[in-house]
Amino acid sequence: MLDYALLAALAAVVRTGSFERAAAQLHVTPSAVSQRVKLLEERMGTILVVRGSPCTGTPAGLRLSQHAERVALLESELRDGLPGLPQDGPAVTVRMAVNADSLATWFVAAMAGTPDVLFDLVLDDQEHSADWLRRGEVLAAVTSGAQPVQGCDSTPLGALRYVATASPDFLRRHFPDGVEAAALARAPRLTYNSKDRLQTQWTRQAFGVEIASPTHWMPSTHAFVDAALAGLGWGMNPEPLVAGALRDGRLVALVPDQPLDVPLFWQRSRIASRTLAGITRSVLTTARAQLTQL
């Protein structure tokens, strides 16, 4: 049988990245947390935490940590029907994966719809966020894939609309004869990170071919907008973030009436949890109000 006091210590270390912060969260000493994690490692016969700054879970440690958090989620819901249980337990933490642009545009409003939950968000590209579900490291994810991960349900959310934008000065400097493929191959673009394929997808949609070009690496949603405003390059910006700049002319669309709609899906574990069901209702309601419905 698993000792859940030991599992709670492991989960706290993995979540906070530190034995000291885990101890503060659990209201015990760092030495006690260390002893509990060490004892659990001895019982499991494997290393569960990579000690460092920050501390990280091994694959086995991550699986056990997620198991502990699922148990805590279910136990928190027992309080409603069992008055003999302590009613002042800690708020439950739910770990989810979401892409940065969703977090910057609509997902915070969905989180606000479930105020009694603590969120532990993992940021990853929408094409890769389902991997966190496959590894069992999160309970839910915003993904670009409709096919549900094993053990999960998948529901369409709508599409996050992107516009290829740049400053008027950038267009004058790099596209004096209009936006065409040869000029795009020379003009610097903005790229979020190595997983970001939006600019390539847009050139294929707009011009029928993938167009490679020099790039600025810009791993921040808001810095991405700022870089476009500053004339550093062109890039695919979420329409909700740049609508005002497009209206007042600080940004312009490279090709008018050629947005890129990225369909998104809400995938979540089939674990029977009222808390997760409440999060799902809030996510679906917010997405249908704020995303483009295809």
Side-chain angles (χ1 to χ4, degrees):
M1 295 292 291
L2 293 171
D3 186 321
Y4 283 93
L6 305 186
L7 283 176
L10 169 67
V13 171
V14 170
R15 187 186 310 117
T16 64
S18 161
F19 283 84
E20 290 74 18
R21 286 190 290 270
Q25 188 177 88
L26 297 173
H27 307 291
V28 297
T29 65
S31 176
V33 172
S34 179
Q35 290 172 9
R36 292 177 188 181
V37 171
K38 184 177 180 180
L39 179 58
L40 186 59
E41 289 177 327
E42 291 173 353
R43 291 183 180 179
M44 295 295 104
T46 187
I47 298 297
L48 302 174
V49 174
V50 178
R51 277 72 169 172
S53 192
C55 295
T56 57
T58 64
L62 291 171
R63 286 185 63 192
L64 284 172
S65 177
Q66 187 60 35
H67 172 74
E69 294 191 345
R70 292 186 184 204
V71 170
L73 174 64
L74 295 175
E75 285 188 349
S76 72
E77 297 174 359
L78 288 174
R79 301 185 194 120
D80 294 341
L82 297 173
L85 291 176
Q87 300 299 303
D88 57 350
V92 66
T93 297
V94 177
R95 198 170 197 227
M96 303 182 296
V98 62
N99 60 308
D101 288 340
S102 287
L103 186 60
T105 52
W106 65 274
F107 198 77
V108 170
M111 294 164 61
T114 49
D116 296 328
V117 177
L118 296 176
F119 294 96
D120 180 4
L121 298 184
V122 174
L123 287 183
D124 205 346
D125 185 90
Q126 63 273 3
E127 294 186 3
H128 298 268
S129 53
D131 293 339
W132 293 83
L133 279 168
R134 291 189 185 93
R135 295 194 298 265
E137 295 182 36
V138 298
L139 286 174
V142 175
T143 78
S144 62
Q147 183 66 32
V149 172
Q150 185 176 3
C152 295
D153 291 320
S154 176
T155 305
L157 295 171
L160 185 54
R161 175 161 289 180
Y162 289 83
V163 182
T165 54
S167 69
D169 179 64
F170 184 87
L171 255 68
R172 285 191 293 270
R173 286 186 286 119
H174 293 278
F175 304 106
D177 300 318
V179 179
E180 44 85 29
L184 272 172
R186 295 188 298 269
R189 69 171 63 176
L190 306 171
T191 305
Y192 187 90
N193 60 21
S194 60
K195 296 178 179 179
D196 179 10
R197 300 277 297 165
L198 293 177
Q199 286 66 227
T200 300
Q201 291 172 15
W202 180 79
T203 62
R204 186 169 59 243
Q205 172 182 290
F207 296 91
V209 63
E210 294 186 5
I211 301 173
S213 63
T215 189
H216 297 286
W217 299 97
M218 198 67 57
S220 163
T221 297
H222 290 285
F224 210 91
V225 176
D226 292 340
L229 288 166
L232 281 176
W234 72 271
M236 304 304 298
N237 277 304
E239 188 178 55
L241 288 185
V242 296
L246 288 168
R247 281 194 302 270
D248 62 27
R250 289 179 294 135
L251 287 176
V252 293
L254 268 62
V255 179
D257 303 319
Q258 191 66 254
L260 177 69
D261 289 330
V262 177
L264 298 175
F265 300 84
W266 177 243
Q267 297 209 34
R268 67 278 184 193
S269 168
R270 293 192 184 121
I271 183 174
S273 162
R274 292 194 305 276
T275 300
L276 189 55
I279 295 171
T280 294
R281 285 192 297 271
S282 184
V283 167
L284 297 182
T285 298
T286 305
R288 287 164 183 167
Q290 298 195 29
L291 297 179
T292 299
Q293 298 305 308
L294 303 176

